[in-house]
């Protein structure tokens, strides 16, 4: 006989009876549906029959039985009428037969209570429990005739709660020809239909309420069912008796799916709508219920109000959901004028700038001055993200609130209008409330003003205080730019990369500015990693940022494209430069030049020179230079711009232009330590390119660049000087400096070296170890880079050696491996290093 899979207590009783089948037995078996009561009685019957004990399964058989040693096994006693239950109790009292009676805990008529009490006088009731993990595995293995994987066992036990009857329904619905998968077949859900149909309407409504997330809120359930507390408890007991509802008031996952799928949709919507209305009347949260009514077709005044209230609840944490709820409120009958302000703000915060601008434009034309100001604020913020900083400033100025005027001043400074910004600061305030947003906006304005006219230290201080002030309430703040982002941009422009990184990390943790700002914060973190030479981390930030939204706003697209180009330039990936350049040119044309996008513009200018397309970017560079001129020179901002212009001129072999940028950097040198470092590095670059390599001067300049966060630039300066000097000792010293600075730049999250990549490739693919050992580490590095498609010059730049040295390594490898042609050498290297073409 194949033993059934029972829980420990049930199995223990079966084994006890098997050891002494003729011992007296009177036991009540109490458990909800699916818990194995029937299986237990079946197993018990097999034991008795095997021992020669007659098994009776009906009261009529028991009354007629002449053998007092028979065993009477009664299932589903909760369905019997009172008279039958009384007769069963009489048999128990006579002690004529061995008796086991199984029933659910509900319904509980008095006659059944008396029967189970009589059975319990000699033995406590048997209470079958769900199967544990091992029992579930054994159960599935027995039904499936093969051992299931751990993931399948864990999934099915989690979905069914280990209730054997529910597990059996899942197994019965599985495809017998295939292996079990971690999913619930539709047929397994459909099998619960008869169970739900047998419930009365109140029990169905209660299950629908629980499925909607109400839990054990007895007062709310009472209002839903129009019952008092005791009556609600009775309905809940009826639901628990099905096995679908736990004592904690939650549905098993399989039960939740069954209730959602099998009870008619109109009942489900009706219950949720009524619950939402009740919650609204109580002043309780309605977001969860309202969300479940989206796209259901529910409408009417109360539903519209529910959607409206839920939209406001969702705004701080889920602005995209908030915008959907505002739209649903209008569709359900809410007047558009009542929701348009919130709807426009939610759309903007979620990053749907087109919808935000459309709604804001309608508000700007509204008769209510409050609505007009709100619309102007939304449109201004959206336009700033679209790159229209000048138009954004105009709208903020028109809106007239304290925070709007401060944001307008930031926009005016960012577009090169310091006089207008100063006049705006002189206008009287609107006596609005001194909110966190108003305070943060004021500090933002002060910080940007200081960055143009004062010192980097005072500018950063104001911006950092602004960022900290906004953190507690910044999730729902609709911003043209976040103080954290502006602080980071200023910090990068003055060489304070650690400060930039810290303030951005805090903004990400606080979700300042919501989804609208999250992409910008990640892109700026990627920019910092790129400047430090950590291309792996920079790539990760870029990937995370672009994964957040299918369409980047113009400002974010500008930074993302510049970051893509910057990574390609730093890894000498000429193909990627060409591939991205078209998008970069479009991004530049779509985004007017402003103070806060000089970083990507500088990268574009350098790449344009690398691709011999500098004429296309020349007007934008001239416009940027004119911008800083209108701001009185703005050394903090001009330094990075001239540094990029210097490199572009060097790459384009334009010595006069390079000298002009170097002179401009000299003029900025006295304004900050960063300016002095950049000026010294510029002079060193000019000298190196001209063939005048002073090792001590180059090392000082390279270490200075590293000290202000430009780790990759510092290593590159030393490396380029090394390959341009004819002094062997100077070359070795400069190469050591370059490698040291490059190593410090990579840190713990460093980009893998070519040697590391080679070792990983060898571990992953079979190679000819004997032949591979003929190559030195440096030759392996060179071989890897040649196979990746880089030119000798690009490889030299990457490894801080000359192109001639790369050629020498290739010649040595060709001779050592006995190759007669370059093609044969590349074939051998692919085989040896596990590389691909």
């Amino acid at each position: 006989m194949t033993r059934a899979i029972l829980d420990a207590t049930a199995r223990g009783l079966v084994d006890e009876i098997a050891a002494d089948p003729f011992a007296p037995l009177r036991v009540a078996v109490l458990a909800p549906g699916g818990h194995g009561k029937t299986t237990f009685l079946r197993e018990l019957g097999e034991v008795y029959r095997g021992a020669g004990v007659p098994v009776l399964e009906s009261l009529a058989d028991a009354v007629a039985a002449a053998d007092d040693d028979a065993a009477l096994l009664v299932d589903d006693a909760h369905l019997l009428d009172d008279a039958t239950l009384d007769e069963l109790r009489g048999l128990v009292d006579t002690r004529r037969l061995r008796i086991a009676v199984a029933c659910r805990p509900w319904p509980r008529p008095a006659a059944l209570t008396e029967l189970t009490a009589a059975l319990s006088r000699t033995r406590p009731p048997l209470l079958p429990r769900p199967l544990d993990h091992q029992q579930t595995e054994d159960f599935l293995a027995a039904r499936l005739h093969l051992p299931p994987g751990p993931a399948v066992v864990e999934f099915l036990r989690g979905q069914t709660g280990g209730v054997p009857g529910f597990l059996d329904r899942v197994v019965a619905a599985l495809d017998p020809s295939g292996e079990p998968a971690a999913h619930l077949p539709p047929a397994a859900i459909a099998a619960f239909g008869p169970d739900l149909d047998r419930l009365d309407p109140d029990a169905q409504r209660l299950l629908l309420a629980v499925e909607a997330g109400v839990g054990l809120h007895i007062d709310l359930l009472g209002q839903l069912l129009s019952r008092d507390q005791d009556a609600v408890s009775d309905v809940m007991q009826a639901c628990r008796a099905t096995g679908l509802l736990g004592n904690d008031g939650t549905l098993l996952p399989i039960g939740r799916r069954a209730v959602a799928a099998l009870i008619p949709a109109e009942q489900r919507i009706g219950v949720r709508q009524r619950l939402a209305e009740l919650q609204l009347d109580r002043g309780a949260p309605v977001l969860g219920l309202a969300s479940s009514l989206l796209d259901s077709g529910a409408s009417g005044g109360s539903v519209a109000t529910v959607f409206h209230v839920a939209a406001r609840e969702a705004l701080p944490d889920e602005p995209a959901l908030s915008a959907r709820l505002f739209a649903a409120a209008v569709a359900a009958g809410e007047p558009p004028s009542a929701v348009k302000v919130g709807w426009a703000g939610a759309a903007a915060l979620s990053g749907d700038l087109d919808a935000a601008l459309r709604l804001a434009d309608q508000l700007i034309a509204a008769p209510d001055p409050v609505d007009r100001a709100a619309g102007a604020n939304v449109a201004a913020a959206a336009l700033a993200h679209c790159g229209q900083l000048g138009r954004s400033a105009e709208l903020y100025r028109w809106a007239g609130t304290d925070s709007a005027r401060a944001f307008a001043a930031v926009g005016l400074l960012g577009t090169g209008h310091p006089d207008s910004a100063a006049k705006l600061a002189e206008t009287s305030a609107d006596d609005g409330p001194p909110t966190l947003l108003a305070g943060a906006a004021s500090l933002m304005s002060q910080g940007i003003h200081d960055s143009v006219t004062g010192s980097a230290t005072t500018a950063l201080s104001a911006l950092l205080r602004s960022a900290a002030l906004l953190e507690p309430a910044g999730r729902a703040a609709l911003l043209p730019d976040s103080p954290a982002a502006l602080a980071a941009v200023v910090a990068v422009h003055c060489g304070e990369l650690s400060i930039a990184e810290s303030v951005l990390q805090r903004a990400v943790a606080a979700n300042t500015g919501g989804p609208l700002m999250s992409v910008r914060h990640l892109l700026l973190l990627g920019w910092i990693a790129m400047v430090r030479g950590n291309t792996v981390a920079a790539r990760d930030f870029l990937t995370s940022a672009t994964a957040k939204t299918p369409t980047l706003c113009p400002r974010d697209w500008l930074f993302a494209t510049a970051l893509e180009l910057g990574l390609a330039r730093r890894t000498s990936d000429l193909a990627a430069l060409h591939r991205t350049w078209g998008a970069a040119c479009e991004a530049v044309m779509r985004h007017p030049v402003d103070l806060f996008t000089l970083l990507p513009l500088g990268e574009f200018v350098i790449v344009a020179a690398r691709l011999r397309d500098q004429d296309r970017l020349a007007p934008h560079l001239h416009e940027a230079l004119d911008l800083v001129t209108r701001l009185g020179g703005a050394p903090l901002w001009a330094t990075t711009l001239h540094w990029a212009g210097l490199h572009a001129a060097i790459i384009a072999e334009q010595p006069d232009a390079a000298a002009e940028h170097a002179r401009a950097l000299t003029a900025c040198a006295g304004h900050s330590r960063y300016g002095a470092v950049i000026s010294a590095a510029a002079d060193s670059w000019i000298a190196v390119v001209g063939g005048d390599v002073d090792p001590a001067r180059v090392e000082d300049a390279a270490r200075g660049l590293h000290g202000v966060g430009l780790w990759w630039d510092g290593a590159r300066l030393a490396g380029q000087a090394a390959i341009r000097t004819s002094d062997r000792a100077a070359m070795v010293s400069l190469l050591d400096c370059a490698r040291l600075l490059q190593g410090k730049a990579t840190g713990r999250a460093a980009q893998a070296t070519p040697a590391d990549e080679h070792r990983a490739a060898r571990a992953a693919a079979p190679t000819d170890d004997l032949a591979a050992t003929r190559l030195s580490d440096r030759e392996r590095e060179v071989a890897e880079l040649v196979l990746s498609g880089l030119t000798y010059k690009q490889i030299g730049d990457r490894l801080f050696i000359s192109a001639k040295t790369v050629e020498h390594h290739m010649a040595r490898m060709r001779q050592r491996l006995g190759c007669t042609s370059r093609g044969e050498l590349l074939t051998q290297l692919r085989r040896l290093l596990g590389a691909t073409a």
Side-chain angles (χ1 to χ4, degrees):
M1 180 182 71
T2 302
R3 287 162 57 97
I5 307 299
L6 301 172
D7 80 292
T9 56
R11 172 53 58 195
L13 181 53
V14 170
D15 292 344
E16 177 188 331
I17 293 169
D20 186 4
F22 297 100
L25 175 69
R26 284 165 183 79
V27 64
V29 185
L30 303 176
H35 278 61
K37 301 182 299 296
T38 301
T39 301
F40 167 77
L41 292 179
R42 188 183 304 120
E43 185 86 348
L44 201 57
E46 293 295 329
V47 168
Y48 276 131
R49 291 186 184 95
V53 177
V55 176
L56 312 174
E57 296 181 350
S58 71
L59 181 60
D61 293 341
V63 171
D67 188 353
D68 287 350
D69 286 334
L72 174 61
L73 309 180
V74 180
D75 202 1
D76 290 332
H78 55 281
L79 301 178
L80 301 177
D81 58 37
D82 286 353
T84 305
L85 292 170
D86 288 340
E87 285 192 74
L88 278 173
R89 183 188 170 194
L91 285 175
V92 172
D93 290 340
T94 62
R95 300 180 179 275
R96 286 183 51 229
L97 303 168
R98 298 169 182 84
I99 299 178
V101 177
C103 63
R104 291 186 179 187
W106 194 266
R108 199 73 176 162
L112 181 59
T113 300
E114 292 171 1
L115 171 60
T116 56
L119 290 166
S120 301
R121 292 191 186 104
T122 55
R123 177 186 292 272
L126 177 66
L127 307 172
R129 308 294 300 169
L131 304 181
D132 62 22
H133 183 91
Q134 185 59 54
Q135 291 164 345
T136 302
E137 184 176 345
D138 295 342
F139 181 97
L140 293 172
R143 296 292 195 279
L144 297 168
H145 307 297
L146 75 164
V152 173
V153 174
E154 194 61 36
F155 173 77
L156 292 183
R157 183 169 181 269
Q159 292 292 308
T160 64
V163 176
F166 300 167
L167 281 167
D168 208 32
R169 288 177 177 177
V170 175
V171 172
L174 289 173
D175 182 358
S177 64
E179 293 187 10
H183 72 280
L184 293 177
I189 304 299
F192 288 90
D195 297 336
L196 296 174
D197 290 341
R198 282 193 290 269
L199 294 173
D200 65 35
D202 275 356
Q204 290 185 354
R205 281 196 289 272
L206 187 142
L207 288 178
L208 286 168
V210 173
E211 186 261 339
V214 170
L216 293 175
H217 290 187
I218 303 301
D219 290 346
L220 184 59
L221 291 171
Q223 289 180 280
L224 173 70
L225 303 178
S226 299
R227 290 174 175 250
D228 61 23
Q229 184 171 334
D230 290 341
V232 170
S233 180
D234 288 345
V235 177
M236 190 161 282
Q237 290 297 338
C239 294
R240 287 194 177 108
T242 65
L244 297 173
L245 185 68
N247 288 330
D248 61 355
T250 61
L251 283 163
L252 290 175
I254 197 171
R256 180 177 294 278
R257 290 190 57 180
V259 169
L262 301 177
I263 297 180
E266 64 273 13
Q267 290 180 240
R268 186 167 182 258
I269 293 170
V271 166
R272 287 174 178 250
Q273 182 173 334
R274 179 58 180 152
L275 286 170
E277 292 166 351
L278 291 171
Q279 286 286 78
L280 192 64
D281 291 341
R282 294 152 57 97
V286 297
L287 178 56
L289 291 164
S291 299
S292 68
L293 290 172
L294 284 170
D295 304 320
S296 69
S299 63
S302 61
V303 174
T305 303
V306 165
F307 282 138
H308 189 172
V309 172
R312 296 191 179 281
E313 287 181 34
L315 186 60
D317 297 310
E318 299 179 87
L321 174 60
S322 177
R324 288 186 64 201
L325 288 164
F326 277 121
V330 173
E334 191 84 345
S337 59
V339 304
K340 202 164 285 183
V341 171
W343 189 1
L349 272 174
S350 69
D352 188 355
L353 299 181
D354 288 344
L357 286 168
R358 183 176 63 254
L359 292 164
D361 198 52
Q362 296 169 12
L363 286 167
I364 291 171
D368 187 338
V370 175
D371 285 353
R372 289 202 302 270
N377 272 294
V378 172
L383 287 170
H385 288 266
C386 291
Q388 304 295 326
L389 198 57
R391 176 60 177 157
S392 169
E394 290 178 20
L395 282 166
Y396 272 129
R397 183 161 48 181
W398 186 74
T401 63
D402 281 341
S403 58
R405 271 196 297 273
F407 290 145
V410 171
L412 290 168
L413 288 167
T415 52
H417 298 92
D419 293 341
S420 298
K423 290 178 181 177
L424 189 62
E426 295 170 0
T427 60
S428 60
D430 66 347
D431 297 323
T435 62
L436 292 177
L437 178 61
S442 177
L443 285 169
M444 278 177 64
S445 173
Q446 178 186 328
I448 298 304
H449 179 269
D450 289 342
S451 76
V452 172
T453 63
S455 70
T457 301
T458 56
L460 270 179
S461 176
L463 291 169
L464 292 173
R465 284 183 285 135
S466 175
L469 188 62
L470 199 57
E471 281 178 12
R475 290 177 302 165
L478 182 56
L479 305 168
D481 208 345
S482 76
L486 290 179
V489 170
V490 169
V492 171
H493 275 278
C494 64
E496 297 288 356
L497 267 63
S498 295
I499 291 176
E501 186 176 48
S502 175
V503 71
L504 288 170
Q505 288 171 342
R506 289 177 64 92
V508 169
N511 196 23
T512 301
L516 182 61
M517 287 303 311
S518 63
V519 173
R520 180 152 169 78
H521 293 150
L522 290 173
L523 289 173
L524 288 171
L525 282 167
W527 195 276
I528 293 165
M530 178 186 73
V531 170
R532 285 173 167 167
N534 191 344
T535 56
V536 172
R539 174 65 63 185
D540 289 344
F541 280 121
L542 175 59
T543 301
S544 298
T546 54
K548 281 184 169 289
T549 175
T551 305
L552 296 174
C553 70
R555 183 172 64 191
D556 289 341
W557 185 34
L558 188 78
F559 269 86
T561 308
L563 190 51
E564 189 76 57
L565 285 174
L567 291 173
R569 181 168 72 89
R570 284 161 177 80
T571 55
S572 300
D573 189 344
L574 190 59
L577 287 178
H578 282 289
R579 187 171 57 249
T580 311
W581 182 238
C585 292
E586 183 180 352
V588 171
M589 287 186 285
R590 285 180 177 272
H591 196 295
V593 172
D594 65 51
L595 200 61
F596 312 124
T597 54
L598 297 183
L599 290 174
L601 178 62
E603 191 63 42
F604 291 143
V605 167
I606 296 172
V607 172
R610 178 79 177 270
L611 299 179
R612 297 295 185 260
D613 197 15
Q614 56 267 42
D615 289 344
R616 194 184 304 196
L617 267 292
H620 300 278
L621 178 58
H622 292 153
E623 187 176 346
L625 292 171
D626 181 61
L627 169 64
V628 294
T629 299
R630 293 200 308 272
L631 292 171
L636 183 147
W637 300 95
T639 297
T640 301
L641 185 62
H642 286 295
W643 177 246
L646 170 78
H647 284 283
I650 289 173
I651 292 170
E653 299 178 350
Q654 297 173 340
D656 291 342
E660 184 178 346
H661 285 296
R663 285 193 295 272
L665 288 169
T666 299
C668 296
H671 290 272
S672 67
R673 169 177 166 266
Y674 180 77
V677 167
I678 296 298
S679 176
D683 291 341
S684 187
W685 264 109
I686 294 289
V688 166
V689 170
D692 179 12
V693 178
D694 181 337
R697 182 185 181 191
V698 169
E699 286 197 28
D700 284 345
R703 293 180 188 279
L705 289 172
H706 188 278
V708 294
L710 300 180
W711 297 353
W712 185 83
D713 291 74
R716 181 168 176 78
L717 173 57
Q720 289 297 310
I723 64 176
R724 284 175 167 81
T725 182
S726 58
D727 185 330
R728 175 68 180 175
M731 181 188 70
V732 171
S733 174
L734 288 167
L735 283 176
D736 285 344
C737 176
R739 289 168 183 147
L740 179 64
L741 297 181
Q742 186 183 51
K744 285 183 179 179
T746 55
R748 275 182 282 181
Q751 179 186 11
T753 65
D756 292 332
E757 293 170 356
H758 167 62
R759 283 191 287 273
R762 292 191 64 196
T767 61
D768 184 342
D769 290 335
L770 180 61
T773 57
R774 297 175 185 171
L775 302 181
S776 68
D777 287 344
R778 174 60 83 188
E779 288 170 339
R780 290 174 186 149
E781 289 179 338
V782 170
E784 287 280 357
L785 295 173
V786 167
L787 292 175
S788 71
L790 269 63
T791 66
Y792 288 177
K793 183 180 184 304
Q794 291 168 341
I795 295 170
D797 290 346
R798 179 80 70 87
L799 300 180
F800 303 116
I801 57 180
S802 68
K804 278 289 185 184
T805 303
V806 176
E807 184 179 3
H808 174 69
H809 283 305
M810 291 294 288
R812 284 175 59 98
M813 286 187 280
R814 178 173 172 179
Q815 180 181 15
R816 189 175 298 118
L817 294 174
C819 300
T820 59
S821 67
R822 176 180 169 83
E824 185 181 349
L825 172 61
L826 296 179
T827 300
Q828 284 275 37
L829 292 177
R830 290 189 189 99
R831 181 176 66 84
L832 295 178
L833 304 182
T836 57

